Amino acid sequence: MPETLLCPRNLAFELYEVLDAEGLIQRERFADHSRETFDAALDTARSIAENLFAPHNRKADENEPVYKDGEAILIPEVKPAVEAFLEAGFHNASRSFDEGGMQLPNLLSRACFAHFQAANIGTSSYPMLSMGAAHLIEVFGSDEQKQRFLKPMIEGRFFGTMALTEPHAGSSLSDLRTRAEPAGDGSYRLKGNKIFISGGDHGLSENIVHMVLAKLPDAPPGVKGISLFIVPKYLVNDDGNLGPRNDVVLAGLFHKMGWRGTTSTALNFGDRGECVGYLVGEPHKGLSYMFQMMNDARIGVGMGAIMLGYAGYLYSLDYARERPQGRLPDGKDPSSAQVPIIQHTDVRRMLLTQKAYVEGAFDLGLYAARLVDEEQTAATEDARRTAHELLDLLTPIVKSWPSEFCLKANELAIQILGGHGYTREYPVEQYYRDNRLNPIHEGTHGIQSLDLLGRKLMQNGGAGLRQLLGLIQDTCGRASAFGSLDALRQPLEQLLARLTEVTQALLGDLMAGKVNLALANSALYLKVFGHAVIGWRWLEQAIRAEQGLAKGNAADVEFYRGKLQAARYFLTWEVPGCHHELELLARRDDTCLEMRDSWF
Amino acid sequence: MPETLLCPRNLAFELYEVLDAEGLIQRERFADHSRETFDAALDTARSIAENLFAPHNRKADENEPVYKDGEAILIPEVKPAVEAFLEAGFHNASRSFDEGGMQLPNLLSRACFAHFQAANIGTSSYPMLSMGAAHLIEVFGSDEQKQRFLKPMIEGRFFGTMALTEPHAGSSLSDLRTRAEPAGDGSYRLKGNKIFISGGDHGLSENIVHMVLAKLPDAPPGVKGISLFIVPKYLVNDDGNLGPRNDVVLAGLFHKMGWRGTTSTALNFGDRGECVGYLVGEPHKGLSYMFQMMNDARIGVGMGAIMLGYAGYLYSLDYARERPQGRLPDGKDPSSAQVPIIQHTDVRRMLLTQKAYVEGAFDLGLYAARLVDEEQTAATEDARRTAHELLDLLTPIVKSWPSEFCLKANELAIQILGGHGYTREYPVEQYYRDNRLNPIHEGTHGIQSLDLLGRKLMQNGGAGLRQLLGLIQDTCGRASAFGSLDALRQPLEQLLARLTEVTQALLGDLMAGKVNLALANSALYLKVFGHAVIGWRWLEQAIRAEQGLAKGNAADVEFYRGKLQAARYFLTWEVPGCHHELELLARRDDTCLEMRDSWF
């Protein structure tokens, strides 16, 4: 059977040859683990994903949730899949043993979760959103809130959502209008409307805990006046039992191009004036709490984009091996047999491009997950801090690069399948539709580009950036030991040198207050910076492949050759193409900035 | 009301300022026409498209044709729309007055038809396919076939299809297996299965005339053994009345990602051994007949891609003007009003990119239509021949460039609408899904790239290529009269110089028999060649805009400024980015060619 979720050999390469998952076992927190326990968790994830998530991926797409009597009704296959996920404990994969978790490194819990995202992004979203909401309460909630809401979330009885967007406040959260009035008893009464709330209703759990951003009466304007509230669908009594229905109403469902298995809801809070909410942490700090969770959520989105790309790549690869069509340019004898289309160079180009995109992004996504482990469990405070700084810088790339390029991979997968790929009888068109959401939610592409250039580069005095440049140089240094990698290393070094110059110039403009001009072409900057990062990760993979080849294990030779070829593709086909965009950035090109509204 | 189909000012610019539609009126064939009759035809097309095609575009997407008792059932709105189209005579727009046509130039009939494609690509496909089938009979059929089948097609009573693809023969038509045996009475009996036959059943007409490729018993192998047959759904008696049902069975419908309004059918020919067909023209020449019609069909596909891009651009432009969200980087005061998103530079970038893609491609599509007029009605045989040679060369670009870049435009339109753009409550996601078919049908992107590099460049001894290079140089020469255009002209000249060198080198390889290496990166070549062509068309538009500005009509200033800015975007942002791809082509990069199947 061909691989359909991800390639286990590549996963092992990432975990054990590139990202040193075994090194984590040396740490106290993971001391009870071993490569065997890691692999057992991965096998369980794979098995549940294949057997319970993948089989209803298409059905969920074709039968999107329906609104009925104030509830969202899902197809019946979702619940047993999610229950198996919960029963196996994947929603608590990184939690401590004493909290009922598996105490796995984040690297491993991400790798486990990747299987569910590849198998069925829609169904995987329900636990993912819930894990994000639980994490917020865990870090910022009171003990009582943890007891009342977090505990049943850990037990898998309550699910959660993130309720941020409003009709007039999407990218611009400072403009949200939902209000929260103190009720006098320590609780609050909320009033407002939220849209695009994923998992806002579903019937998969006893209760849904909405994490809602709203403004207190004395809120200062803007982002510093937003508070975070717990608003449960059902109130929870002191004994933990469910109380009456809270005044949160499912106002309707959005009908999306893809990702249809996940309900996207409009929720009305306080239509009857009785919507009870509980303030989390301090007043007016809600958005900063959300932002502290953002790295995690954005890695999650990036991984989702990667896994959709990965699933499409594997499917189109298998198809290209099986499908006979045409003959090679130098073998046009029509009486000869047709060749499998993988033999056509242009089909190989489309497969190699997909491989370079999805495996490059997969490496980065897991690298980011590994940084979370460094952030949390590295031996020294200094190491934990530097990991955090680097992760902060990389987060916009981890979120946005796969959203753009793994979507492109899906586009190529359709193209390889041709007319068949365009039909719903094959899975690749769904991956493409599903993936199109990723450049939009959890901060659009444009927002990510402003975040990177306008904020992250300079954060912590530029420490993250200095660190990244040092790491890339270190990789280049190690690559120079392999003469075979010269042609791969040099384009990266050239890009890095020019990117460094251009970055300094743009930061200079920003510090001089020329914000509009400096940020005008932030989308180009995001693309080039992302290509430099992925180029770096490919050079790192190429080094590991050379090291693997040197070990002389015959069974692995073709795998490593493929890695080297994909690295070559990315570093010689994609990376050098960025110099033109750097040139536009360097000269502060104002073509878009100067375009007038009335000229369109 | 905002424009939703295409911008009338831009259409007038193309017809009357760039492509000299009025010059055609000097020709005998169009002597009864005038700018007024042209505009009247365009107005009629616009009105029917807006009133009868656009309103059911979404409904047809949501209610795709269903298979019932051997028939494909469409929503009821399609028929009156198509009837109004036929009644207005748009299927005969270019036919002579004495055949019941409007005797319009091809340029005008394409421009009229563009409105229907923008309004509803699915419904517009039925007449478009029918027009293609009619054209085949008109050019290659016998007088009797014309009387029996073409006449009712011209009258709008019969529709037609093109039945080429089979399960094992898509891109590789030489492998098709449908057989045709002589029946002894001059007719043939066909047996075989066809798939992806658009409009293969629909209930919009009294009869459907399938133009079927099949092999005769004595057929030589390969493309030179394919014959063309007329296979009607209902046989036609000598008196023109319908006879019994022919042995053509609707075996099923394909369910597509987009373009859902058009039935995509599986047809079985001769399950009962009684499928009657009539040979068109000579035996074994069917594919060459099809190819002679190909330019026309491929311009049609290109125009469809353009119009989907155009409709998305206009919708997202209107949305960006209306939707308030956020503040500019230098105006972050949260108590100030939100700005319409068109004021954000990155949104302007996405709009300007769309404008550059769709208006650049629209110009090329109409330019190609104008070449058809030259081909048919230019004064001298020499002029008709050179028009034909140039059109042959440009056809792969006209088909493939919009299929790739106007799809990208649709992707940007979704991005501008954000979460809303991803929902089916807004039209842009449908344009994106519809447009994804265009790089696949009527010759995939890969096929187009091989056609361009492996065949078209050298066709007629390279006459088309020499002509194109001369035309681009001519445009550059005229542009040099405007100092303001220097920065736009120079990147095109630089690209052209390098493209010419690389082209010569690749053709040298081909002539030396190094076919696999020379064609390995044909997709890159197609992209660069396409960018050179679109860059040329933008420089031409820029000249016309400068000329328009010089006339000093105040009402037009902003329109021309927009043209110049879009030209600047394309020629300075997009064109110079092609040098890296040319470099890969120049060095015969073998990264994809050398990738082994077992390395994936």
Side-chain angles (χ1 to χ4, degrees):
Chain A
M1 192 179 110
E3 300 304 335
T4 54
L5 303 183
L6 53 77
C7 165
R9 179 65 188 89
N10 188 42
L11 179 57
F13 173 73
E14 286 298 339
L15 294 178
Y16 305 119
E17 296 173 64
V18 180
L19 297 172
D20 188 25
E22 284 170 299
L24 290 166
I25 300 165
Q26 311 309 316
R27 297 188 182 165
E28 193 187 333
R29 182 170 172 85
F30 309 121
D32 287 345
H33 279 291
S34 63
R35 182 160 172 170
E36 286 66 37
T37 63
F38 289 169
D39 288 346
L42 293 166
D43 285 347
T44 305
R46 182 179 192 88
S47 164
I48 297 173
E50 281 182 351
N51 295 319
L52 288 165
F53 278 65
H56 71 276
N57 189 43
R58 174 59 80 176
K59 184 175 176 187
D61 177 66
E62 289 179 344
N63 299 274
E64 60 189 335
V66 289
Y67 177 93
K68 196 179 168 196
D69 302 333
E71 310 272 335
I73 313 296
L74 314 189
I75 60 169
E77 288 83 351
V78 179
K79 194 161 186 174
V82 170
E83 280 172 354
F85 177 97
L86 297 170
E87 200 159 312
F90 285 112
H91 62 309
N92 298 320
S94 288
R95 277 210 174 74
S96 311
F97 294 126
D98 60 14
E99 296 170 299
M102 299 188 200
Q103 209 161 314
L104 279 171
N106 191 273
L107 173 61
L108 267 295
S109 59
R110 279 280 172 214
C112 287
F113 195 71
H115 293 83
F116 302 101
Q117 293 177 301
N120 189 325
I121 195 79
T123 294
S124 77
S125 296
Y126 295 106
M128 181 165 136
L129 290 158
S130 209
M131 285 146 70
H135 203 182
L136 267 176
I137 302 177
E138 187 164 15
V139 177
F140 303 108
S142 67
D143 286 344
E144 202 233 316
Q145 289 167 346
K146 289 182 199 172
Q147 180 62 28
R148 201 177 288 242
F149 299 107
L150 177 61
K151 190 163 165 285
M153 291 172 92
I154 291 176
E155 291 163 5
R157 297 189 295 110
F158 288 10
F159 276 29
T161 76
M162 306 289 219
L164 284 69
T165 303
E166 298 179 9
H168 296 273
S171 294
S172 181
L173 285 172
S174 63
D175 291 282
L176 57 81
R177 297 175 187 170
T178 298
R179 299 275 151 187
E181 300 272 347
D185 62 353
S187 73
Y188 293 78
R189 294 296 170 275
L190 277 80
K191 189 161 181 58
N193 307 303
K194 299 280 180 181
I195 60 169
F196 298 148
I197 308 309
S198 295
D201 199 58
H202 44 60
L204 298 172
S205 55
E206 297 172 23
N207 202 357
I208 301 178
V209 180
H210 303 293
M211 305 304 294
V212 182
L213 291 183
K215 287 182 178 176
L216 291 166
D218 62 344
V223 292
K224 287 174 183 157
I226 297 171
S227 304
L228 177 64
F229 296 86
I230 291 172
V231 180
K233 178 176 175 182
Y234 291 95
L235 298 180
V236 180
N237 297 333
D238 290 342
D239 61 5
N241 288 324
L242 292 193
R245 187 80 149 76
N246 199 1
D247 181 12
V248 189
V249 174
L250 177 64
L253 300 177
F254 292 93
H255 301 95
K256 304 190 294 300
M257 171 166 70
W259 211 299
R260 294 190 186 179
T262 304
T263 48
S264 180
T265 64
L267 296 178
N268 290 353
F269 295 86
D271 277 355
R272 301 194 314 271
E274 296 167 10
C275 177
V276 179
Y278 309 98
L279 180 68
V280 177
E282 294 174 43
H284 316 319
K285 295 211 168 162
L287 203 62
S288 80
Y289 297 159
M290 279 286 180
F291 272 110
Q292 288 177 59
M293 298 289 105
M294 214 65 107
N295 287 351
D296 207 51
R298 289 180 173 170
I299 297 173
V301 169
M303 285 298 297
I306 294 161
M307 298 321 298
L308 287 166
Y310 214 142
Y313 162 57
L314 292 175
Y315 195 94
S316 66
L317 174 59
D318 185 53
Y319 183 91
R321 289 196 158 121
E322 301 295 327
R323 165 79 176 172
Q325 193 69 190
R327 289 153 196 89
L328 299 186
D330 65 355
K332 284 287 191 188
D333 173 7
S335 62
S336 64
Q338 298 199 70
V339 300
I341 60 171
I342 196 172
Q343 291 189 28
H344 295 299
T345 304
D346 194 52
V347 172
R348 278 215 287 266
R349 173 186 66 82
M350 294 190 279
L351 290 168
L352 191 55
T353 305
Q354 287 184 73
K355 181 178 170 75
Y357 289 169
V358 303
E359 291 184 8
F362 188 64
D363 176 279
L364 177 64
L366 292 184
Y367 180 83
R370 182 68 162 82
L371 282 179
V372 174
D373 288 313
E374 291 304 298
E375 203 181 11
Q376 293 173 349
T377 64
T380 66
E381 197 191 317
D382 194 53
R384 292 193 294 274
R385 183 178 44 74
T386 56
H388 176 74
E389 287 163 355
L390 182 58
L391 183 61
D392 258 358
L393 175 68
L394 288 177
T395 296
I397 304 301
V398 176
K399 192 272 175 183
S400 65
W401 199 91
S403 297
E404 179 171 359
F405 290 94
C406 295
L407 175 65
K408 259 188 220 285
N410 286 144
E411 190 174 322
L412 293 171
I414 293 176
Q415 194 66 20
I416 289 174
L417 270 73
H420 294 290
Y422 192 66
T423 68
R424 309 203 299 280
E425 276 78 24
Y426 289 82
V428 288
E429 65 85 32
Q430 186 186 345
Y431 298 142
Y432 179 65
R433 285 186 291 109
D434 288 351
N435 221 348
R436 185 62 190 82
L437 180 58
N438 285 314
I440 297 172
H441 66 168
E442 202 62 54
T444 65
H445 219 66
I447 294 290
Q448 301 298 326
S449 73
L450 293 175
D451 183 44
L452 175 66
L453 182 54
R455 189 161 48 164
K456 291 292 171 66
L457 288 178
M458 289 182 291
Q459 217 167 28
N460 307 306
L465 180 61
R466 279 192 302 276
Q467 206 189 138
L468 176 66
L469 295 175
L471 286 167
I472 301 181
Q473 277 154 4
D474 175 67
T475 299
C476 290
R478 283 181 288 114
S480 65
F482 302 89
S484 56
L485 299 183
D486 284 352
L488 280 61
R489 174 177 49 82
Q490 285 153 3
L492 183 63
E493 286 174 343
Q494 286 156 13
L495 184 70
L496 198 68
R498 186 78 177 119
L499 177 60
T500 306
E501 284 170 15
V502 170
T503 301
Q504 282 163 352
L506 291 172
L507 293 182
D509 279 7
L510 282 174
M511 285 186 276
K514 301 182 204 161
V515 244
N516 287 349
L517 185 62
L519 296 177
N521 301 322
S522 58
L524 295 183
Y525 189 86
L526 180 72
K527 190 244 164 167
V528 175
F529 197 94
H531 263 50
V533 168
I534 298 290
W536 162 51
R537 296 313 306 164
W538 265 117
L539 188 61
E540 190 64 47
Q541 290 191 61
I543 293 170
R544 308 302 173 151
E546 287 288 0
Q547 291 168 342
L549 280 175
K551 287 188 190 149
N553 185 347
D556 276 336
V557 169
E558 302 205 294
F559 173 78
Y560 291 129
R561 289 268 166 236
K563 280 288 176 193
L564 289 168
Q565 200 73 357
R568 181 179 154 193
Y569 169 83
F570 195 81
L571 287 155
T572 66
W573 278 53
E574 297 267 338
V575 163
C578 296
H579 283 279
H580 168 58
E581 285 138 341
L582 278 176
E583 186 52 37
L584 291 169
L585 286 160
R587 71 173 186 238
R588 316 291 194 283
D589 187 280
D590 62 2
T591 305
C592 300
L593 185 67
E594 290 301 313
M595 181 71 185
R596 309 255 183 95
D597 308 352
S598 56
W599 294 354
F600 281 108
Chain B
M1 194 178 112
E3 300 304 336
T4 54
L5 303 182
L6 53 76
C7 165
R9 179 64 189 89
N10 188 42
L11 179 57
F13 174 73
E14 286 298 339
L15 294 178
Y16 304 119
E17 297 173 63
V18 181
L19 297 172
D20 188 26
E22 284 169 299
L24 291 166
I25 300 165
Q26 311 310 317
R27 296 187 184 168
E28 194 186 331
R29 183 172 172 84
F30 309 121
D32 287 346
H33 279 290
S34 62
R35 184 161 172 170
E36 286 66 37
T37 64
F38 289 170
D39 287 346
L42 292 167
D43 285 346
T44 305
R46 182 180 193 90
S47 164
I48 297 173
E50 282 182 350
N51 295 318
L52 287 165
F53 279 64
H56 70 278
N57 190 41
R58 174 59 79 177
K59 184 175 176 187
D61 177 67
E62 289 179 346
N63 299 274
E64 60 189 336
V66 290
Y67 177 93
K68 195 177 167 199
D69 303 332
E71 309 273 336
I73 313 296
L74 315 188
I75 59 169
E77 287 84 350
V78 179
K79 195 161 185 173
V82 170
E83 280 171 356
F85 175 97
L86 297 170
E87 200 160 311
F90 285 111
H91 62 310
N92 298 320
S94 289
R95 277 209 175 76
S96 312
F97 294 126
D98 60 13
E99 295 171 300
M102 299 188 202
Q103 210 160 314
L104 278 172
N106 193 273
L107 173 61
L108 267 294
S109 59
R110 278 281 172 216
C112 288
F113 196 70
H115 293 83
F116 301 102
Q117 294 177 300
N120 190 325
I121 194 81
T123 294
S124 77
S125 295
Y126 295 106
M128 180 164 136
L129 290 158
S130 208
M131 285 146 71
H135 203 182
L136 267 176
I137 302 176
E138 186 164 17
V139 178
F140 304 107
S142 67
D143 286 344
E144 202 232 317
Q145 288 168 348
K146 288 182 200 173
Q147 180 63 27
R148 200 176 289 242
F149 299 107
L150 177 61
K151 191 164 164 285
M153 292 170 92
I154 291 175
E155 291 163 5
R157 297 189 294 112
F158 289 10
F159 276 28
T161 75
M162 305 288 218
L164 285 68
T165 304
E166 298 179 8
H168 297 273
S171 293
S172 181
L173 284 171
S174 63
D175 291 282
L176 57 81
R177 296 175 187 169
T178 298
R179 299 278 153 187
E181 301 272 348
D185 63 353
S187 73
Y188 293 79
R189 293 296 171 272
L190 276 81
K191 191 164 179 55
N193 307 304
K194 298 281 178 181
I195 60 170
F196 299 147
I197 308 309
S198 296
D201 199 57
H202 45 61
L204 298 172
S205 55
E206 297 172 22
N207 201 356
I208 301 178
V209 180
H210 303 292
M211 305 303 295
V212 182
L213 291 183
K215 287 183 177 175
L216 291 166
D218 62 344
V223 292
K224 287 174 182 157
I226 297 171
S227 303
L228 177 65
F229 297 86
I230 290 172
V231 180
K233 179 176 173 181
Y234 291 96
L235 298 179
V236 180
N237 297 332
D238 290 344
D239 62 5
N241 289 324
L242 293 192
R245 187 80 148 78
N246 200 359
D247 182 11
V248 188
V249 174
L250 177 64
L253 299 177
F254 292 94
H255 301 95
K256 305 190 294 299
M257 170 165 69
W259 211 300
R260 293 190 185 179
T262 304
T263 48
S264 179
T265 64
L267 295 177
N268 290 353
F269 294 86
D271 277 356
R272 302 194 313 273
E274 296 167 10
C275 176
V276 178
Y278 309 98
L279 180 67
V280 177
E282 295 175 44
H284 315 318
K285 296 212 168 162
L287 204 61
S288 79
Y289 297 159
M290 280 286 180
F291 272 110
Q292 288 176 60
M293 299 289 105
M294 212 66 104
N295 287 350
D296 207 49
R298 288 181 174 170
I299 298 173
V301 169
M303 284 298 297
I306 294 161
M307 299 320 299
L308 287 167
Y310 213 141
Y313 162 58
L314 292 176
Y315 194 93
S316 66
L317 174 59
D318 185 53
Y319 184 89
R321 289 196 158 122
E322 300 295 326
R323 165 79 176 171
Q325 194 69 190
R327 289 154 195 89
L328 299 186
D330 65 354
K332 283 286 192 191
D333 173 8
S335 62
S336 65
Q338 299 199 68
V339 300
I341 60 172
I342 196 171
Q343 291 190 28
H344 296 297
T345 304
D346 194 53
V347 172
R348 277 213 288 266
R349 173 187 67 82
M350 294 190 280
L351 290 168
L352 192 54
T353 305
Q354 287 184 75
K355 181 178 169 75
Y357 289 169
V358 303
E359 291 183 8
F362 187 65
D363 176 279
L364 177 65
L366 293 184
Y367 180 83
R370 182 69 163 81
L371 282 179
V372 175
D373 288 315
E374 290 305 297
E375 203 181 10
Q376 294 172 349
T377 64
T380 66
E381 197 191 318
D382 193 53
R384 292 194 293 275
R385 183 179 43 74
T386 56
H388 177 73
E389 288 164 355
L390 182 58
L391 183 61
D392 258 359
L393 175 68
L394 287 178
T395 296
I397 305 300
V398 176
K399 193 273 175 183
S400 65
W401 199 91
S403 296
E404 180 172 359
F405 290 94
C406 295
L407 175 64
K408 260 188 220 284
N410 286 144
E411 191 174 320
L412 293 171
I414 293 177
Q415 193 67 21
I416 288 173
L417 270 73
H420 294 291
Y422 192 66
T423 67
R424 309 203 297 281
E425 275 78 23
Y426 290 81
V428 288
E429 65 86 30
Q430 186 186 344
Y431 299 141
Y432 180 65
R433 284 186 291 109
D434 288 351
N435 221 347
R436 185 62 190 83
L437 179 58
N438 285 314
I440 297 173
H441 66 169
E442 203 61 54
T444 64
H445 219 67
I447 294 290
Q448 301 298 327
S449 74
L450 292 175
D451 183 44
L452 175 66
L453 182 55
R455 190 161 47 161
K456 291 292 171 64
L457 288 179
M458 289 181 292
Q459 218 167 29
N460 306 307
L465 180 62
R466 280 192 302 277
Q467 206 189 139
L468 177 66
L469 295 175
L471 286 167
I472 301 181
Q473 277 153 5
D474 175 66
T475 299
C476 289
R478 283 181 289 113
S480 64
F482 301 89
S484 56
L485 298 183
D486 284 352
L488 280 61
R489 174 177 50 83
Q490 284 154 2
L492 182 63
E493 287 174 341
Q494 285 155 13
L495 184 69
L496 198 67
R498 186 77 177 121
L499 176 60
T500 306
E501 284 170 17
V502 170
T503 301
Q504 283 164 351
L506 291 172
L507 293 182
D509 279 7
L510 282 174
M511 284 187 276
K514 301 182 204 161
V515 251
N516 287 349
L517 184 60
L519 296 177
N521 301 322
S522 58
L524 296 183
Y525 189 85
L526 180 72
K527 190 244 163 167
V528 175
F529 197 94
H531 263 51
V533 169
I534 298 289
W536 163 52
R537 296 312 307 164
W538 265 117
L539 189 60
E540 191 64 46
Q541 290 190 61
I543 293 172
R544 309 302 174 151
E546 286 288 1
Q547 291 169 340
L549 279 175
K551 287 187 191 153
N553 185 347
D556 275 336
V557 169
E558 302 205 294
F559 173 78
Y560 291 128
R561 288 269 165 235
K563 280 288 176 193
L564 289 168
Q565 199 73 357
R568 180 178 156 194
Y569 169 82
F570 196 80
L571 287 156
T572 66
W573 278 54
E574 297 267 337
V575 163
C578 296
H579 282 280
H580 167 59
E581 284 138 341
L582 278 176
E583 186 52 37
L584 291 169
L585 286 160
R587 71 173 187 237
R588 315 291 193 283
D589 188 280
D590 63 2
T591 304
C592 300
L593 185 68
E594 290 301 312
M595 180 71 187
R596 308 253 183 95
D597 308 351
S598 57
W599 294 354
F600 281 107

